[in-house]
Amino acid sequence: QVQIVQSGAEVKKPGASVKVSCKASGYTFSNYAMHWVRQAPGQRLEWMGWINAGNGNTKYSPKFQGRVTISRDTSASTAYMDLSSLRSEDTAVYYCARRGETGLDYWGQGTLVTVSS
Amino acid sequence: EIVLTQSPGTLSLSPGERATLSCRASQTVSSIYLAWYQQKPGQAPRLLIYGASSRATGIPDRFSGSGSGTDFTLTISRLEPEDFAMYYCQQYGSSQGYTFGQGSKLEIK
């Protein structure tokens, strides 16, 4: 069965970077795109970007362009989201989600990133 | 950028009642790129509806989606206790990527 498991919670200082991983299993990783979505406390879901796991092409939300880098390691069936120049407003739960035939059909459990001095 | 506005913000109903949630887009959205998600506290979102009206795998038939252009609706015909949650609409636009509505909270009356 399809499973997506994310790395654990992180605490970072303002100005630092964070890298969250997302390991997929139960399907052919390179056949699907992986998206990243975040949710600040009490806020709406916010799309950050995606990667074509096959060819590595990426597309980012204009809001995060220049600050986010999404990558993948096909040998490990793992996608990564790197967010730099962190500020307090980046405190959120970060999710990865597989883009299936119909939509974002399988999600990771979420990774809480806390930015605090 | 296409903005999705959901209404109502909060809907209070009882089990067995019918729920109707609205999602209005600031510009025309292609129906094939309109989806609905359910999210419960502490959980990741779950895909309910794709292509505006198709149920995702395993979603009960009490959930239905409709609409086109700028107005879309999620209907839950007879509420079950497990249906009380947050609901988000989402659209995909090639230039801006994905956007989500602000969500509608369905709470038990």
Side-chain angles (χ1 to χ4, degrees), chain A residues 35 37 39 43-47 59 62 95 99 102-105 107-108, chain B residues 4 37 39 43-45 47 50 88 90 94-98 100-102:
Chain A
H35 290 243
V37 175
Q39 188 170 39
Q43 301 301 308
R44 75 174 72 189
L45 300 165
E46 187 172 34
W47 179 78
K59 181 178 178 67
Y95 294 101
R99 174 60 165 99
T102 56
L104 302 179
D105 57 1
W107 294 64
Chain B
L4 300 178
Y37 295 82
Q39 187 180 33
Q43 296 185 16
L47 177 65
Y50 66 93
Y88 294 93
Q90 170 247 306
S94 59
S95 61
Q96 296 294 328
Y98 287 62
F100 289 88
Q102 85 279 19

Side-chain angles (χ1 to χ4, degrees), chain B residues 30-103:
Chain B
S30 174
S31 295
I32 63 173
Y33 296 132
L34 194 288
W36 290 90
Y37 295 82
Q38 178 194 66
Q39 187 180 33
K40 297 180 180 179
Q43 296 185 16
R46 176 173 73 144
L47 177 65
L48 293 177
I49 300 288
Y50 66 93
S53 60
S54 298
R55 277 186 300 277
T57 302
I59 301 303
D61 62 6
R62 65 180 181 273
F63 290 89
S64 63
S66 63
S68 63
T70 59
D71 290 296
F72 298 89
T73 300
L74 174 69
T75 301
I76 311 171
S77 58
R78 296 171 309 280
L79 286 166
E80 297 287 341
E82 62 268 26
D83 299 336
F84 292 92
M86 286 291 293
Y87 291 86
Y88 294 93
C89 58
Q90 170 247 306
Q91 68 86 33
Y92 170 70
S94 59
S95 61
Q96 296 294 328
Y98 287 62
T99 55
F100 289 88
Q102 85 279 19

